[in-house]
Amino acid sequence: MPYTKNNSLKEWVRESAKLTQAKNIHWCTGSEEEYQELINLMLKSDTLYKLNTDEYRDCYLHRSDPNDVARTEHLTFVCSQEKDQAGPNNNWMAPKEARMLSNELFAGSMKDRTLYVVPYCMGPISSPYSQLGVEITDSPYVVINMKIMTRMGTQALKKIDEGKPFVKGLHCTGDLSVEKRRILHFPETGEIHSFSSGYGGNALLGKKCHALRIASWQARQGGWLAEHMLIVGIENPQGEKHYVVAAFPSACGKTNLAMLIPPKDYKGWKIWTVGDDIAWMHVGDDGRLYAINPEAGFFGVVPGTSEKTNPNALNMIKQDAIFTNVALTADGAPWWEGKTSGTPKINWKGEDCDTATGPAAHPNSRFTVSSKNCASYDEAAESQNGVPISAIIFGGRRSNLVPLVLESKSWEHGVLLGATMASQTTAAATGETGILRNDPMAMNPFCGYHFGSYWEHWVSFAKRATHLPRIYNVNWFRTDENGKFIWPGFGDNLRVLEWILKRVDGKAQAKETPIGNLPLLSDLNLEHLDIDKEALEKLCSVDSGWIEEMKNVDSFLQKFEPKVPKELWQEVSKIKDGLKA
Ligand code: GTP
Ligand code: SPV
Ligand code: MN
């Protein structure tokens, strides 16, 4: 046992080692040598493969168990004292029952295995908004991913030694069976127990478990926000820079928007990446919202990444990246659907592509890479206080109805836009894809408490902050009668961001409609864009389906009564009245 002054940590590691009967204990330092040792260990045990070194420097492939490739929401629980606090949006288990179950699952689970103690910091190490955690795990894959995704090791342990509070996450890969898989959260005590999965969102406990489920609970008590949002800076040719945050559900475009490359005709525009998945926001002394990215890396969707869609991402994953569940070409380069070069030879399961069925790369195959690898990474991401936010954007995958961009009329209306967003399901979670489901603020799988109270908390910012950002809703995913995306998306999304920022600066008009403010086509820069004018007009107008949609909104909000803030119902009434007229 190395020297740690924190008795709570010492005691918990001792107890966990005893429960799991781990053979060894390894305290992670986060050093490069340690990373390399773990890589070598995994190469030896065939749990990691080195990729083609001509094209990919120090990059590796990990193949997970085929039953363990995405988050498993039905096996994820919030174990608050009161069931009502978890709300209808979470699976709930009584903490006592959860602890008993956990003890059974973890008992003897690390026999003959090494227990790694992984101290980490979510957020810049010296930021007052950052939080500490320690993950105990038996998975070297988890350790190397935590090294990339968080500020991991000695510097975090030093803070914990100083007596700072930390979240305790206990993780064991177990036998990876779905039957034994549980992801349990104890929000009151800041604990996470995760068993029988090695997949990112289930196993890298700093990410969704800590930085969203536990943190959202704490944020409500502390008067801040923990959100499933990217953070991006947009600099125009005059050198004016605005930061925006955007919440899109899993696999709906956050990574892509966070590092987009401006279209060719946008000379002099620059994009600055702060974060691609999680934002923690606080009200600053000046009454504005400021955001930090608690993460230090990207755990991004691989399929669809290409020179055309996301060249920044393509470049950053050519060195020091870990790929999970992609395919391989004959010469050992990674391959995925949407990649424009090479041919797959071995699929994500390790089978020959000539005889195997299904996609070559898993649709939820991922890369793990340090933020520092990203050419558009913004130094401001390391600043203690975070970046000031000029606009909040919500968006989902909606093949119809929802316009390209919609501006809220007030903070409360904006909160309603977020609360009632819906999106088609993706491969980021197990279950059928393409099914439309409500996903408030893209937090459906991640809010650690009752959505009614969560919306109340959002509404309360009208009183907490004097200079709140405007709220927008976007939709890149409307399709035509042939199922083709109408909007080109990716880099061209900057055209929509430009309109949003013009509105923020009071430099563009808008059409007022019952559902919100829409852009005038004349205010959108559509130069060099090959898109049907009629289709575009449709994208920027109020669809007749909104009357029906408001009925869905009604019945969805009803599920969270009696906790739905009255402000949201008032906004619903205004929209309905407007549509009737
Ligand atoms: P998580 O990491 O799961 O939270 O996802 P994310 O929101 O970061 O999603 P990401 O940016 O990785 O995008 C997921 C998929 O959507 C990829 O296959 C992208 O190619 C695709 N995508 C992203 N942006 C756009 C867009 O503007 N238009 C279209 N049509 N597809 C997009
Ligand atoms: C998501 O599913 O929203 C992700 C990937 O960002 S994971 O971290 O695995 O949840
Ligand atoms: Mn995510």
Side-chain angles (χ1 to χ4, degrees):
M1 185 81 74
Y3 184 64
T4 168
K5 281 182 236 157
N6 192 309
N7 287 326
S8 161
L9 174 58
K10 221 185 275 182
E11 193 46 42
W12 175 55
V13 171
R14 197 177 283 137
E15 265 170 36
S16 303
K18 193 171 155 210
L19 172 67
T20 59
Q21 295 174 31
K23 193 168 85 182
N24 308 304
I25 299 180
H26 174 126
W27 288 70
C28 294
T29 62
S31 70
E32 291 309 316
E33 295 74 39
E34 178 182 77
Y35 180 78
Q36 207 47 59
E37 272 167 30
L38 289 167
I39 297 271
N40 292 340
L41 185 80
M42 290 185 72
L43 289 172
K44 240 189 242 158
S45 63
D46 276 343
T47 48
L48 208 62
Y49 306 93
K50 189 149 192 169
L51 294 175
N52 183 307
T53 48
D54 292 338
E55 245 188 303
Y56 290 85
R57 190 167 51 77
D58 296 318
C59 290
Y60 301 92
L61 163 68
H62 170 73
R63 290 195 189 109
S64 76
D65 186 288
N67 288 315
D68 187 33
V69 293
R71 283 181 294 99
T72 39
E73 295 177 359
H74 62 297
L75 303 171
T76 302
F77 293 79
V78 168
C79 310
S80 49
Q81 289 294 338
E82 305 290 332
K83 182 175 185 188
D84 188 47
Q85 288 180 292
N89 44 304
N90 280 300
N91 301 309
W92 178 81
M93 204 188 290
K96 213 167 146 189
E97 185 194 338
R99 285 183 197 282
M100 261 162 56
L101 172 67
S102 170
N103 275 337
E104 272 170 39
L105 292 170
F106 278 92
S109 62
M110 295 190 195
K111 241 183 224 162
D112 304 319
R113 294 182 67 83
T114 297
L115 177 158
Y116 297 93
V117 183
V118 186
Y120 63 86
C121 177
M122 300 309 285
I125 203 92
S126 58
S127 169
Y129 306 124
S130 293
Q131 286 199 18
L132 299 156
V134 177
E135 175 165 356
I136 288 178
T137 180
D138 64 343
S139 161
Y141 171 80
V142 165
V143 179
I144 58 173
N145 275 275
M146 287 293 284
K147 150 88 176 153
I148 298 173
M149 295 302 296
T150 71
R151 280 96 172 161
M152 188 275 265
T154 309
Q155 43 179 350
L157 185 60
K158 195 164 155 254
K159 297 262 172 193
I160 292 167
D161 279 350
E162 286 165 12
K164 299 236 161 60
F166 63 97
V167 164
K168 293 174 177 159
L170 180 60
H171 169 254
C172 178
T173 40
D175 61 4
L176 295 176
S177 70
V178 178
E179 291 69 36
K180 289 190 196 144
R181 188 173 305 161
R182 295 291 182 283
I183 299 99
L184 310 168
H185 303 72
F186 303 89
E188 282 106 343
T189 51
E191 292 169 275
I192 305 151
H193 293 180
S194 167
F195 197 81
S196 205
S197 169
Y199 172 72
N202 291 339
L204 309 178
L205 301 185
K207 197 171 173 58
K208 298 300 163 68
C209 301
H210 177 169
L212 287 178
R213 296 194 193 95
I214 299 283
S216 62
W217 177 289
Q218 295 175 346
R220 184 182 173 219
Q221 328 275 320
W224 51 286
L225 292 164
E227 300 297 327
H228 191 204
M229 289 176 166
L230 67 95
I231 311 166
V232 66
I234 301 140
E235 188 180 330
N236 67 16
Q238 291 77 48
E240 296 158 347
K241 192 170 173 185
H242 278 294
Y243 288 95
V244 306
V245 289
F248 308 152
S250 303
C252 288
K254 290 184 301 301
T255 304
N256 280 267
L257 194 71
M259 52 191 76
L260 75 75
I261 302 275
K264 283 209 175 61
D265 53 311
Y266 273 66
K267 295 222 164 48
W269 288 74
K270 283 196 196 115
I271 292 294
W272 299 94
T273 308
V274 176
D276 82 329
D277 199 47
I278 301 174
W280 285 355
M281 294 189 284
H282 293 78
V283 180
D285 294 337
D286 58 359
R288 297 184 72 183
L289 267 190
Y290 284 78
I292 65 162
N293 172 13
E295 301 191 280
F298 308 118
F299 183 62
V301 175
V302 183
T305 308
S306 75
E307 197 55 62
K308 228 179 119 201
T309 58
N310 194 348
N312 257 338
L314 198 65
N315 286 332
M316 76 182 179
I317 58 182
K318 285 188 177 157
Q319 57 279 311
D320 303 307
I322 299 166
F323 290 83
T324 302
N325 293 336
V326 293
L328 287 176
T329 63
D331 60 359
W335 193 92
W336 53 86
E337 276 66 20
K339 195 176 190 205
T340 49
S341 62
T343 351
K345 174 77 181 115
I346 311 280
N347 76 3
W348 65 276
K349 292 185 201 164
E351 302 159 345
D352 196 320
C353 289
D354 293 337
T355 48
T357 54
H362 189 276
N364 190 40
S365 50
R366 298 260 166 180
F367 56 75
T368 317
V369 73
S370 165
S371 308
K372 302 247 157 79
N373 273 26
C374 179
S376 56
Y377 187 60
D378 192 342
E379 266 310 308
E382 307 291 333
S383 93
Q384 291 194 32
N385 292 322
V387 295
I389 299 306
S390 299
I392 295 176
I393 304 173
F394 293 119
R397 242 174 227 272
R398 295 292 298 261
S399 53
N400 56 23
L401 189 78
V402 178
L404 179 64
V405 57
L406 184 65
E407 182 184 69
S408 63
K409 303 181 178 196
S410 63
W411 178 256
E412 291 75 12
H413 177 222
V415 175
L416 181 75
L417 285 182
T420 56
M421 66 193 249
S423 191
Q424 285 149 296
T425 52
T426 65
T430 56
E432 209 177 328
T433 60
I435 307 289
L436 188 67
R437 74 160 182 188
N438 287 96
D439 194 347
M441 282 82 171
M443 285 287 277
N444 188 56
F446 309 120
C447 183
Y449 63 103
H450 197 298
F451 264 148
S453 316
Y454 172 71
W455 299 327
E456 180 91 64
H457 184 51
W458 263 86
V459 167
S460 78
F461 279 77
K463 295 205 182 75
R464 293 174 194 276
T466 50
H467 294 80
L468 281 171
R470 279 208 191 174
I471 298 179
Y472 294 82
N473 193 87
V474 300
N475 180 20
W476 317 138
F477 298 97
R478 283 274 284 265
T479 49
D480 62 16
E481 48 295 339
N482 304 315
K484 233 188 113 228
F485 293 118
I486 298 169
W487 180 250
F490 303 103
D492 287 309
N493 292 334
L494 182 56
R495 300 176 191 279
V496 174
L497 296 180
E498 184 191 11
W499 180 77
I500 289 174
L501 294 179
K502 274 205 221 153
R503 288 290 296 166
V504 166
D505 287 336
K507 292 178 184 161
Q509 305 287 307
K511 259 188 304 208
E512 286 187 25
T513 82
I515 61 166
N517 303 332
L518 294 167
L520 306 174
L521 289 197
S522 53
D523 279 333
L524 282 175
N525 176 1
L526 304 169
E527 225 178 307
H528 305 293
L529 202 59
D530 179 26
I531 179 168
D532 182 59
K533 200 75 192 268
E534 211 175 301
L536 201 64
E537 258 156 32
K538 246 171 123 182
L539 279 190
C540 297
S541 57
V542 184
D543 191 278
S544 57
W546 273 99
I547 294 174
E548 196 56 35
E549 174 76 355
M550 290 315 289
K551 290 184 193 154
N552 299 336
V553 163
D554 246 16
S555 55
F556 177 65
L557 290 183
Q558 279 299 345
K559 291 186 188 149
F560 301 92
E561 284 295 22
K563 297 202 182 190
V564 178
K566 63 177 186 318
E567 288 84 351
L568 296 195
W569 286 121
Q570 286 162 359
E571 294 304 319
V572 170
S573 292
K574 281 190 226 166
I575 297 172
K576 281 193 192 160
D577 290 348
L579 289 170
K580 249 186 251 157

